[in-house]
Amino acid sequence: MASRDLFDLLSLDRPLQVADIGAADIGEAPIYKDMVDSGLAELNAFDADPRQHAALRQLYGERVRIFPQVVGDGGPATLYLAAPQSGMTSLFRPSADHLAFFNGFERLGQVEREQAVNTTRLDDIEGLPNLDFVKMDIQGGELAALRHGTAKLARCAMVQLEVSFVPLYEGQPCFGEVDVWMRGQGFIPHCFTGLKKWSIAPVLRDGDFRSPFNQLLEADIVYVRDPVRPGGLDPDLMKAVALLAHHGFYSIDLAGRMIALLAARGVLPTDAFE
């Protein structure tokens, strides 16, 4: 189904509001890019590192609003800046022991400088609309940002998070803690969009430190508002799930379930699912 066809079928009278928190362009096209390019979504991009803003402007032009705030708990913090291409700048100090456990990370996680910053709660950011979809990759700061953004996320349909199985930073919450919190907010896991393994030092595979054996490092996981018991979901939120599932993740079954439920409620025509 073409992007516009599904959008028109669902009769959504506004573009989806997407936030990418930690939006640095490191060469991977995000799942929402086609939706933003086609006008089905508007992008609110967060990156506290000004070195990344030019690349975001070049990629999206006028289709992006850039927010320079450091998203967190609203208090003072230290930003540990690594090389821009490493993607490892964080509000958490890198863990020397955990970096040394993996091949190559002592170099990738090297801190170039430290910067005192004031963080801003997601709920306190002026000009940020209520969000339909959030992609978040802020090197261990995801859970703090989520906990202080519950108002902006109250009508959020899907959330994509980077989660760690082995922490690379001191005090970093790992997958289990994030998963428990997300379930408590009414989300369930939907899919992994990426699962990263890494080789354990000092053993190399084929001489390449990026070529793993079996050790889990991190993953990108997508959560969706619980579609098993959708009675509490309003129609607009269900429409957002359908659009994101279809165009973002090619989860045709999840999109179809939302369309069928909307048709059963009389929100969509009875033949909408056909």
Side-chain angles (χ1 to χ4, degrees):
M1 180 179 288
S3 296
R4 197 77 230 177
D5 291 344
L6 181 58
F7 193 86
D8 292 341
L9 170 67
L10 294 171
S11 300
L12 201 64
D13 59 1
R14 59 177 180 82
L16 296 177
Q17 291 296 329
V18 170
D20 192 337
I21 302 172
D25 175 26
I26 56 171
E28 300 176 2
I31 66 96
Y32 55 74
K33 187 176 187 303
D34 287 345
M35 288 185 286
V36 173
D37 288 345
S38 62
L40 301 184
E42 295 179 349
L43 175 59
N44 304 275
F46 286 79
D47 205 291
D49 187 347
R51 298 173 296 180
Q52 306 290 355
H53 294 179
L56 289 167
R57 286 289 185 201
Q58 184 175 7
L59 192 61
Y60 294 104
E62 297 303 315
R63 301 186 303 277
V64 61
R65 290 187 290 268
I66 296 179
F67 294 84
Q69 292 92 334
V70 179
V71 178
D73 61 8
T78 299
L79 189 64
Y80 298 92
L81 290 115
Q85 64 272 20
S86 74
M88 291 191 66
T89 292
S90 176
L91 289 174
F92 290 84
R93 182 189 298 275
S95 167
D97 289 341
H98 288 91
L99 293 180
F101 178 71
F102 292 105
N103 285 307
F105 270 104
E106 287 182 294
R107 176 174 58 82
L108 292 172
Q110 185 175 356
V111 174
E112 293 186 343
R113 63 187 176 91
E114 300 179 14
Q115 179 180 331
V117 296
N118 290 311
T119 66
T120 304
R121 298 168 69 249
L122 195 61
D123 283 343
D124 293 339
I125 294 174
E126 295 183 4
L128 180 67
N130 292 330
L131 300 170
D132 298 295
F133 175 69
V134 173
K135 178 181 180 292
M136 194 179 300
D137 179 357
I138 46 177
Q139 302 302 304
E142 292 82 5
L143 188 55
L146 290 165
R147 283 173 169 162
H148 296 277
T150 52
K152 293 296 184 185
L153 299 174
R155 296 175 57 80
C156 194
M158 300 181 80
V159 178
Q160 179 179 342
L161 301 171
E162 183 182 71
V163 292
S164 292
F165 301 107
V166 179
L168 295 177
Y169 305 92
E170 296 176 2
Q172 175 185 5
C174 285
F175 169 61
E177 191 175 351
V178 174
D179 185 65
V180 168
W181 192 88
M182 289 297 292
R183 289 174 186 270
Q185 301 301 305
F187 291 88
I188 65 168
H190 175 58
C191 66
F192 287 110
T193 61
L195 181 64
K196 184 182 290 185
K197 298 177 182 180
W198 208 270
S199 63
I200 299 171
V203 179
L204 294 176
R205 186 171 190 170
D206 301 324
D208 182 1
F209 74 90
R210 296 180 184 273
S211 182
F213 290 93
N214 292 312
Q215 178 59 52
L216 292 171
L217 174 60
E218 59 196 18
D220 283 339
I221 185 171
V222 178
Y223 286 88
V224 61
R225 288 286 178 185
D226 192 344
V228 180
R229 294 181 291 271
L233 302 184
D234 66 60
D236 273 0
L237 195 152
M238 295 170 70
K239 292 176 181 179
V241 170
L243 279 168
L244 290 162
H246 188 279
H247 296 303
F249 303 102
Y250 307 104
S251 297
I252 309 303
D253 50 351
L254 177 58
R257 177 174 174 82
M258 293 296 105
I259 292 169
L261 289 168
L262 288 165
R265 290 188 187 183
V267 176
L268 295 180
T270 55
D271 61 351
F273 181 68
E274 296 178 2

